[in-house]
Amino acid sequence: IATHAPALTARALVAGLLVGCVLGASNVAIGLKVGLTFPAAVTAAVLSYSAFKMLSPWLRHPFSIGENVIATTAGSSAGSMATAAGVISFVPALAMAGLPLSFPKLVAWTLATASLGILFAVPLRHQLIVVEQLRYPSGTAAAETIRAMHAETVGALSNAKMLLAAALGAACYKALVSIKPLGLTSLEHLGLEDVGLGTLTLGGVSLVALRIGFSTSPMLIGAGMLVGPRVGASLLLGSLVAWLGLAPPLAHQLWPDLTGPALFTPVLRFLVWPGAAMMLAAGLTSLGLNLGIWRRAFASLRIAQQEAHLTPTLAINPRMWLLAMLSATSAVCVLGAWLFAVHPWMSLVAIAVSFVMTLVAVRATAETDLNPVGPMAKVTQLVYGALAPGSMTTNLMTAGITAAGALQAGDLMHDLKTGFLLGVSPRRQVVAQFAGVLVGVFAVVGTYVLLAANYPIPGELFTGPAVQSWYAVAELLAHGYQALPAGASWAALVGACIGVLFTLLERQPACRPFVPSPMAVSIAFLVPPAYATALWLGSLIPGLMDRRRPQAGERLGPILGSGLIAGEGIMLVIVATLMLLGVPWL
């Protein structure tokens, strides 16, 4: 499909950036809660189309397919900045290591590293999308959604209204439970004591002290609707094993004198080690099993270099690309030395490692729709555990470069696939992607700074599973096994073995339906049990919707889930802002 109407318009950019900033801010909140973030492309496509559809009687020109692609690209880029900026992973881990970053420093660092990711992807576009025509499932889905909306074959307007209604309901609920004089704060966490079971114990340990219960957070329920029943069940299983199987005997043996709320924190700090080890082992095993992706990635790079003369098909002028790459590389090296006291040669090595990982990431996400950012960042942590032993700052910072590069490159490739299918200029999409980075970074970094100023991270509300995992690996590599609590080394070894086993079994088609997701199980070790329960119950809702109306859950579940996440996420930012201003009733 070729579109001749203007694509890169101010209204398309503004619409996409507004949606992307909202979704980016909500991704910060959900990412700090449960370590998960969600793509913004389809949501940006639906909301931008619906907004202009409602305004169509007053528009001189209808909102075109090309404009919808630009809005989707800008929105997707801004929405993904929560992960690219590292505010749900390495940035809070750096603060735990004693190096908090201020707002301007974090903005400058993120702009440099995210720009590298975009520039990494540009030379690969022709080979992977035009020549090989890899699927890029999310990009293809976005293209199909846009095509269907403009053909008026789906109720995009009603879907958008449903998403906005869910967001408004979630925001109102969060506002009500946040106002202390109303006395509704306890509704956010329904524990055993709230249903008359406060005296229950297991192995002599109070289950109330372990915070067994259910969270009524709309954000968590919405996230459960998006992750699906297998991941939801895996989260529940992991939580049962961690908090009912391991926690009581651990508490009885290691902390016999602790009772009440004081018991939860040391138990969680212990469970971080088997959970992080399981996550790391599962990710590295998955990377190792995908050797074919590595081989095809480097083959694509060689072919792309051989076809470099095809400049008309490139997403950016080669000279401009080289200048931009040199500028971004220089910026990363200078900022690395200034912010983290990391020698420029180490930053250059980190950029090289990031490019290698990006080659694999853009291929992996094309074939599986999963971008293995977390495992690749852990590989960088292991590399710098050898290059810079003892330095947690260097370890975390360099892994952040890898995560930002792989994430932003993978996101752009999905967007470029959408544009390719709908006939939109890749150069215009690259401009929209950079605009998303430039604007989105202020939304996500601002959200993080507001939340961090009012809540401990990791803490009771924002447990930061990814933060704990990154910090645990950096601490282990910097200080050795003596950094682990008593008995945690054996627990980590068992967790790693389980991660490897589950990943291997996942590869067997006959076993996969019955094997828990190792990543979901590991996350359950890093969050309160009430969070896992809410995610599990949320994952059941689409199935219940399907029983009443065929395919209703499949069609409406992601819309309702996205609305619930966005609504509470934005209200969390509003509440944090008011708390920072000293409002006494919050």
Side-chain angles (χ1 to χ4, degrees):
I1 294 179
T3 176
H4 301 291
L8 185 60
T9 62
R11 64 181 187 176
L13 270 181
V14 170
L17 292 173
L18 286 174
V19 174
C21 287
V22 171
L23 296 177
S26 59
N27 266 336
V28 174
I30 190 66
L32 289 174
K33 268 198 168 187
V34 293
L36 301 170
T37 60
F38 300 95
V42 173
T43 304
V46 171
L47 288 180
S48 58
Y49 171 83
S50 302
F52 284 102
K53 187 71 174 177
M54 289 187 286
L55 295 172
S56 58
W58 299 279
L59 296 178
R60 180 176 299 180
H61 303 290
F63 190 59
S64 68
I65 285 181
E67 288 180 299
N68 213 158
V69 171
I70 293 298
T72 300
T73 303
S76 175
S77 177
S80 68
M81 287 303 293
T83 306
V87 295
I88 65 169
S89 54
F90 91 94
V91 172
L94 278 171
M96 292 175 67
L99 186 63
L101 293 177
S102 64
F103 179 86
K105 290 179 179 179
L106 187 49
V107 166
W109 175 254
T110 303
L111 287 174
T113 54
S115 297
L116 275 178
I118 296 175
L119 295 169
F120 285 161
V122 165
L124 302 174
R125 182 251 179 196
H126 178 75
Q127 177 60 29
L128 299 183
I129 293 178
V130 179
V131 177
E132 296 185 43
Q133 297 200 18
L134 297 182
R135 179 164 174 76
Y136 285 99
S138 291
T140 300
E144 291 172 352
T145 300
I146 292 171
R147 184 185 288 118
M149 288 189 300
H150 285 266
E152 298 187 350
T153 59
V154 295
L157 195 57
S158 62
N159 289 348
K161 291 179 179 178
M162 185 177 298
L163 188 151
L164 294 174
L168 181 62
C172 290
Y173 176 81
K174 181 61 183 176
L176 290 174
V177 299
S178 299
I179 301 174
K180 292 179 181 178
L182 295 179
L184 301 175
T185 305
S186 60
L187 291 179
E188 284 196 284
H189 176 93
L190 299 177
L192 295 175
E193 68 277 15
D194 296 313
V195 292
L197 300 175
T199 59
L200 280 182
T201 61
L202 186 61
V205 176
S206 168
L207 295 185
V208 171
L210 297 177
R211 301 185 189 175
I212 304 299
F214 168 69
S215 172
T216 62
S217 164
M219 175 177 285
L220 295 177
I221 295 171
M225 296 174 71
L226 292 177
V227 300
R230 177 174 176 258
V231 171
S234 301
L235 285 161
L236 180 65
L237 174 64
S239 189
L240 293 173
V241 170
W243 294 98
L244 293 183
L246 296 178
L250 280 173
H252 183 73
Q253 182 176 354
L254 298 178
W255 308 285
D257 299 329
L258 288 180
T259 58
L263 182 60
F264 178 80
T265 298
V267 172
L268 178 62
R269 287 176 178 171
F270 185 98
L271 292 175
V272 163
W273 293 101
M278 191 185 310
M279 187 182 295
L280 175 62
L284 295 181
T285 302
S286 179
L287 282 179
L289 291 173
N290 288 305
L291 292 177
I293 289 178
W294 288 75
R295 177 179 52 78
R296 291 191 293 275
F298 287 104
S300 297
L301 177 63
R302 288 196 303 271
I303 296 173
Q305 290 173 330
Q306 294 168 4
E307 298 184 354
H309 63 281
L310 296 172
T311 53
T313 66
L314 295 179
I316 191 171
N317 181 279
R319 290 183 179 179
M320 185 179 296
W321 176 85
L322 181 59
L323 179 61
M325 178 62 75
L326 290 174
S327 300
T329 300
S330 301
V332 168
C333 292
V334 171
L335 290 171
W338 175 43
L339 299 178
F340 309 104
V342 173
H343 197 283
W345 77 263
M346 282 198 174
S347 295
L348 286 173
V349 172
I351 292 170
V353 171
S354 179
F355 179 65
V356 172
M357 296 302 174
T358 298
L359 288 177
V360 180
V362 296
R363 169 72 66 168
T365 191
E367 298 182 12
T368 68
D369 208 31
L370 298 174
N371 194 335
V373 170
M376 289 180 172
K378 297 298 186 294
V379 171
T380 305
Q381 284 190 272
L382 295 175
V383 169
Y384 278 84
L387 290 178
S391 176
M392 292 182 64
T393 300
T394 301
N395 191 285
L396 291 166
M397 167 272 218
T398 51
I401 295 175
T402 296
L407 187 283
Q408 209 63 41
D411 179 73
L412 176 57
M413 295 301 282
H414 280 286
D415 295 335
L416 290 173
K417 178 67 175 183
T418 303
F420 173 74
L421 292 174
L422 297 177
V424 175
S425 162
R427 295 189 180 187
R428 291 180 172 84
Q429 284 190 272
V430 170
V431 172
Q433 187 83 7
F434 272 114
V437 169
L438 183 61
V439 176
V441 66
F442 290 96
V444 301
V445 172
T447 298
Y448 167 73
V449 169
L450 281 172
L451 296 180
N454 291 279
Y455 306 98
I457 299 173
E460 184 174 346
L461 180 61
F462 297 109
T463 54
V467 178
Q468 298 182 66
S469 174
W470 281 56
Y471 183 83
V473 173
E475 187 179 27
L476 179 63
L477 294 172
H479 304 302
Y481 287 104
Q482 61 267 28
L484 277 65
S489 57
W490 287 106
L493 178 61
V494 173
C497 292
I498 292 174
V500 172
L501 177 62
F502 282 178
T503 305
L504 292 174
L505 291 176
E506 270 189 320
R507 306 279 292 188
Q508 308 303 317
C511 298
R512 180 175 171 79
F514 310 102
V515 178
S517 162
M519 288 297 178
V521 172
S522 66
I523 287 175
F525 277 67
L526 306 175
V527 298
Y531 284 13
T533 306
L535 287 161
W536 169 64
L537 289 175
S539 72
L540 301 179
I541 293 176
L544 296 176
M545 295 170 65
D546 283 337
R547 290 187 178 183
R548 299 194 62 179
R549 184 183 301 175
Q551 296 185 329
E554 180 181 351
R555 182 171 60 87
L556 301 179
I559 295 169
L560 291 173
S562 298
L564 293 175
I565 293 172
E568 185 179 352
I570 295 305
M571 186 52 65
L572 272 169
V573 176
I574 295 173
V575 169
T577 303
L578 295 175
M579 289 175 66
L580 198 62
L581 294 174
V583 175
W585 37 267
L586 292 174

